[in-house]
Amino acid sequence: MKRTYLAGVSLTALLMAGGAVAETVKIANISELSGPGAAAGTVWAHGVELAVDEINEHGGILGMPVEMKEYDSQTDPQVSRALVQKAIDEGAFALLGTVYSSSTVVNMLVAQMNGIPQFTASEAPSITSKGNPYIFRTNWGAQKGMPKIGSYLKDQLGVSKVAIAWANTEFGKGGHDSFVSIVEDMGLDVVADIPSEQGQADFSADVLKIKNSDAEAVFIYLTQEEAARFLMEATKQGLDIPKIGDSVLTSEKVIDLAGAAANGAKGHVALTIAADEPRVQEFADKFSERFGYSPDYNAMKGYIGAYTIKYGTEMVGEVNSQKLADVVHGLCLDADEYPGVLIDMCWDDTGEVSRESYMVEVVDGREQVSEVLPAN
Amino acid sequence: MAELLQILVSGLSAGAIYALAAVGFTLLWQASQTINFAQGEFVMLPAFFVLAGMTIFGLPLWAAILTAMVLSLLILGAMFKKLIVEPMLPHGTLPLVIATIALGLLMKESVKEFYSAQGQPFPTLFPQHVLDFFGASISVQDICNLIVAFAAIISLQLFLGRTRTGRAMQATAQDPRVAEILGVDVKRMVMYTFLINGALAAIASILISPVYLAKFSNGETLGMIAFIAAIVGGFNQIKGALVGGLLIGVIDNVAAVYISAEYRAAIPLILLIVIIMVRPQGIMGTSEGRTV
């Protein structure tokens, strides 16, 4: 009898414990914590981590703590695909990641099949053009930034011949195609078109080809470590033309890796800690204090992604994947009311993002904003 | 012409560093029939010794390099021989090869775990100036890399050819039993070979990391290139490894500029296939007969 009673108490305790576990909001972050994408993926993951801890300190989502699991995609699309499935199998109701577009185009199909909303850092145009109702960017796609870069090259720099150095990946191809199409429509001549492989270490031939192409400016569309190596090689070979890029080129990581070689690089960026916004500065201070280094746009994207899940879920009023995906389509968040998004932003019905942007230049090892451009 | 000159200097500079790693392959093969598939990681690791010395222990660059050199001699030279090669060699070449592959993975994952998975900036020893030479922009860093790498290999050749210890090492490499009969301390000579390999790996690491950035995965590329260079040049000749390294460095750059940037990585592999088919002993290598 005593044994039966004890068994009953144990079972009740177990069920209660099970009930307590069920009262959490499960999300997952799948990012590039190793492999060639580690520089970007780690920073993104830290941004997510900071946001989740803050959310939990302030009562979680709908009063429930957030339980986040982290997965390392190893910058391998097939691994990322398997991990997205694993995260969903383990109960995640919303996903964050991946950063590299080559991985996201593969793993977002798994999230789509399972009806799970996914907030990605990827910027390849193809991500939001496939009609996937569960994918959402945390920054706009490359195709939205390219017209502004093209106008800057033509109207402000007066360039007629341009070179492009780009990563031969999903991210790079998307940006390359958009850029070439836009600048050619504007009447600019692409005189050197140089692809490079992921993880490429030696850029001497690439820089030499650009140098000998008579290009008046080079558009650099590479991932962080490759962008840093390119800038170092450009300095080594005395490539003395404007070096223009997107968020990557002027990011903290590239500046850290390239050192003085990053000075003078200019970028059209959506998110930068150089922005004159108190919320951005507060975020940068918290991030630096916690992780011991300055955040970049990927950290901001991770932070924004985690907070978007919170705001969207609380608008819906329940932890429901489908309803979260539905509410974010067409959603606009005012940063005064929803400070976790840092800067006002909107999503359209494809998951694409709109927000204002900045032209920045690296001066003495720091990003400086030279112009604020309106959202498009 | 200026373009070609620039490609040649840049290719030779990278190739000379590949040669340092490739020489390591040939040295260990000659001394102990060891094919060290962790050689790429041997070149990756010393850069992290330097960085750890500077960032964790606050050492100045020169002291960090000196410390890295000593650690490389101890860990990549002496400990590698004592803990991996000596216990595994009696079981044959294949188990040893597998052990070096495992060692490479262990080193790579350890750096990732204990230091960082991200690329790290690495200080350069040389000025970042660019010289204008007949219209070609020649980097002082490239020239210095070339000089240091050549100086290391020439010093090694002189040591092996002109000193009593060096000749004893060569005798050991050619026939350890006869060398022992002639009074050579074979074990000590083999140990010297492993120490030299550790030192060469450290020099290669310090020269290449400012360009490649220090990263745990650097060994994958470097090990593969050095292995190809050693086979192309001749696995049983130091001068072969030098020629192989320089050739790969130049061909890689020439291919990227004049053939295709997309297929540049394939060109050294095509060269490898051609050499194996046409001259299996390598460009400078000599044929070796083996009893089976």
Side-chain angles (χ1 to χ4, degrees):
Chain A
M1 180 65 188
K2 189 183 274 183
R3 191 176 293 169
T4 312
Y5 173 76
L6 277 173
V9 169
S10 305
L11 183 62
T12 308
L14 274 173
L15 286 172
M16 284 174 72
V21 169
E23 291 301 297
T24 59
V25 179
K26 287 186 179 177
I27 64 171
N29 175 42
I30 302 100
S31 57
E32 294 78 355
L33 303 179
S34 62
T42 307
V43 181
W44 155 274
H46 283 163
V48 170
E49 203 180 311
L50 181 63
V52 168
D53 287 353
E54 279 180 16
I55 291 168
N56 281 334
E57 280 167 22
H58 294 93
I61 297 176
L62 296 169
M64 293 177 281
V66 178
E67 181 186 339
M68 190 193 66
K69 273 204 159 183
E70 198 160 67
Y71 302 85
D72 177 10
S73 76
Q74 300 165 29
T75 323
D76 183 326
Q78 294 312 320
V79 172
S80 78
R81 182 187 169 91
L83 290 176
V84 164
Q85 186 63 60
K86 188 171 185 229
I88 294 169
D89 292 344
E90 290 178 349
F93 101 103
L95 304 175
L96 289 149
T98 40
V99 179
Y100 268 37
S101 301
S102 316
S103 291
T104 306
V105 289
V106 174
N107 64 48
M108 72 181 198
L109 301 174
V110 178
Q112 183 182 6
M113 278 191 298
N114 288 276
I116 303 293
Q118 179 178 1
F119 295 82
T120 176
S122 300
E123 295 181 6
S126 60
I127 304 255
T128 48
S129 66
K130 292 183 186 295
N132 180 342
Y134 298 96
I135 194 76
F136 300 93
R137 291 195 205 271
T138 48
N139 185 26
W140 30 255
Q143 78 284 0
K144 295 196 79 173
M146 294 307 170
K148 293 181 181 179
I149 294 172
S151 299
Y152 181 78
L153 286 167
K154 188 182 179 198
D155 302 332
Q156 299 205 32
L157 296 183
V159 165
S160 61
K161 289 186 280 187
V162 65
I164 175 169
W166 54 285
N168 196 1
T169 62
E170 186 68 25
F171 154 79
K173 279 180 205 158
H176 164 268
D177 294 349
S178 293
F179 177 80
V180 170
S181 160
I182 283 163
V183 295
E184 284 183 346
D185 285 349
M186 289 176 169
L188 271 64
D189 194 7
V190 179
V191 291
D193 192 335
I194 318 285
S196 58
E197 294 309 310
Q198 187 167 290
Q200 183 173 314
D202 184 356
F203 280 88
S204 52
D206 308 60
V207 171
L208 185 61
K209 281 170 98 169
I210 290 167
K211 200 174 169 189
N212 292 336
S213 70
D214 286 335
E216 294 157 349
V218 54
F219 178 59
I220 301 163
Y221 202 68
L222 300 167
T223 42
Q224 288 175 317
E225 288 172 10
E226 290 75 24
R229 292 183 186 121
F230 184 95
L231 289 174
M232 290 191 289
E233 185 62 38
T235 302
K236 208 169 88 175
Q237 291 194 27
L239 181 68
D240 193 19
I241 55 176
K243 299 164 197 81
I244 313 297
D246 70 331
S247 310
V248 176
L249 190 68
T250 54
S251 66
E252 285 292 319
K253 187 66 190 172
V254 173
I255 295 170
D256 176 40
L257 292 173
N263 286 334
K266 293 177 180 173
H268 173 240
V269 307
L271 295 163
T272 169
I273 58 164
D276 187 21
E277 293 278 350
R279 282 180 297 272
V280 172
Q281 296 308 318
E282 189 189 340
F283 160 79
D285 290 343
K286 283 186 290 193
F287 188 99
S288 304
E289 190 181 333
R290 170 144 178 197
F291 299 107
Y293 67 97
S294 292
D296 67 6
Y297 64 102
N298 277 317
M300 295 170 80
K301 287 194 274 186
Y303 187 82
I304 290 167
Y307 266 105
T308 305
I309 293 174
K310 172 187 164 67
Y311 298 141
T313 306
E314 290 182 341
M315 282 176 190
V316 169
E318 61 178 300
V319 180
N320 183 308
S321 300
Q322 184 60 50
K323 287 183 178 174
L324 174 62
D326 291 343
V327 81
V328 180
H329 284 130
L331 179 67
C332 281
L333 293 177
D334 182 333
D336 288 334
E337 194 178 347
Y338 301 98
V341 295
L342 302 176
I343 299 168
D344 299 353
M345 64 189 294
C346 296
W347 287 265
D348 68 12
D349 56 1
T350 66
E352 185 60 75
V353 158
S354 291
R355 70 155 78 84
E356 65 182 19
S357 58
Y358 308 89
M359 280 306 301
V360 301
E361 180 175 356
V362 180
V363 179
D364 295 330
R366 293 190 72 83
E367 274 184 300
Q368 284 189 4
V369 174
S370 54
E371 199 176 344
V372 181
L373 305 172
N376 62 346
Chain B
M1 185 60 196
E3 182 180 85
L4 187 63
L5 179 63
Q6 197 166 323
I7 293 169
L8 283 176
V9 173
S10 179
L12 288 172
S13 169
I17 302 172
Y18 302 152
L20 287 174
V23 167
F25 270 115
T26 65
L27 278 177
L28 297 194
W29 173 252
Q30 288 179 58
S32 62
Q33 272 66 58
T34 303
I35 301 177
N36 178 21
F37 277 108
Q39 186 72 4
E41 280 68 32
F42 276 36
V43 177
M44 172 274 294
L45 192 61
F48 284 93
F49 291 152
V50 174
L51 289 178
M54 292 175 70
T55 55
I56 299 172
F57 300 104
L59 297 175
L61 178 60
W62 66 268
I65 288 176
L66 212 60
T67 310
M69 192 63 86
V70 172
L71 287 172
S72 299
L73 291 174
L74 284 175
I75 297 170
L76 307 180
M79 283 174 70
F80 173 53
K81 179 178 181 292
K82 286 282 177 196
L83 300 180
I84 308 281
V85 178
E86 279 184 9
M88 296 302 292
L89 201 54
H91 302 288
T93 303
L94 192 59
L96 181 56
V97 164
I98 293 168
T100 62
I101 293 171
L103 177 67
L105 284 171
L106 179 72
M107 289 165 69
K108 196 168 75 169
E109 294 303 317
S110 300
V111 169
K112 189 169 88 179
E113 185 64 29
F114 295 112
Y115 203 93
S116 171
Q118 298 185 40
Q120 305 292 319
F122 191 88
T124 176
L125 297 173
F126 310 115
Q128 298 285 293
H129 304 144
V130 179
L131 304 175
D132 192 328
F133 196 71
F134 295 115
S137 299
I138 306 292
S139 148
V140 172
Q141 188 183 356
D142 278 350
I143 295 172
C144 292
N145 282 347
L146 194 58
I147 291 170
V148 172
F150 259 94
I153 293 172
I154 291 167
S155 304
L156 176 63
Q157 280 283 41
L158 291 174
F159 172 71
L160 292 175
R162 303 263 176 98
T163 66
R164 189 181 173 85
T165 309
R167 282 196 289 269
M169 286 172 71
Q170 289 201 59
T172 304
Q174 282 165 17
D175 194 329
R177 280 190 305 177
V178 175
E180 197 156 26
I181 291 165
L182 292 173
V184 173
D185 186 344
V186 170
K187 281 189 175 174
R188 178 181 289 186
M189 295 306 123
V190 174
M191 175 58 88
Y192 286 165
T193 310
F194 279 80
L195 294 177
I196 290 170
N197 182 47
L200 291 178
I203 296 169
S205 186
I206 289 158
L207 293 181
I208 207 157
S209 295
V211 181
Y212 272 42
L213 304 174
K215 190 167 182 182
F216 75 97
S217 56
N218 280 356
E220 294 165 11
T221 319
L222 288 168
M224 177 62 80
I225 294 175
F227 187 59
I228 294 172
I231 293 177
V232 166
F235 219 84
N236 55 10
Q237 293 290 327
I238 290 174
K239 59 188 176 204
L242 176 63
V243 169
L246 295 176
L247 197 60
I248 298 284
V250 170
I251 284 178
D252 179 47
N253 271 345
V254 169
V257 174
Y258 296 117
I259 301 175
S260 160
E262 286 99 326
Y263 295 104
R264 66 186 293 178
I267 307 294
L269 294 170
I270 293 170
L271 178 68
L272 175 71
I273 293 167
V274 171
I275 288 288
I276 287 174
M277 290 173 71
V278 177
R279 193 176 161 79
Q281 69 271 36
I283 295 169
M284 308 290 283
T286 51
S287 301
E288 280 184 24
R290 298 233 163 195
T291 309
V292 288

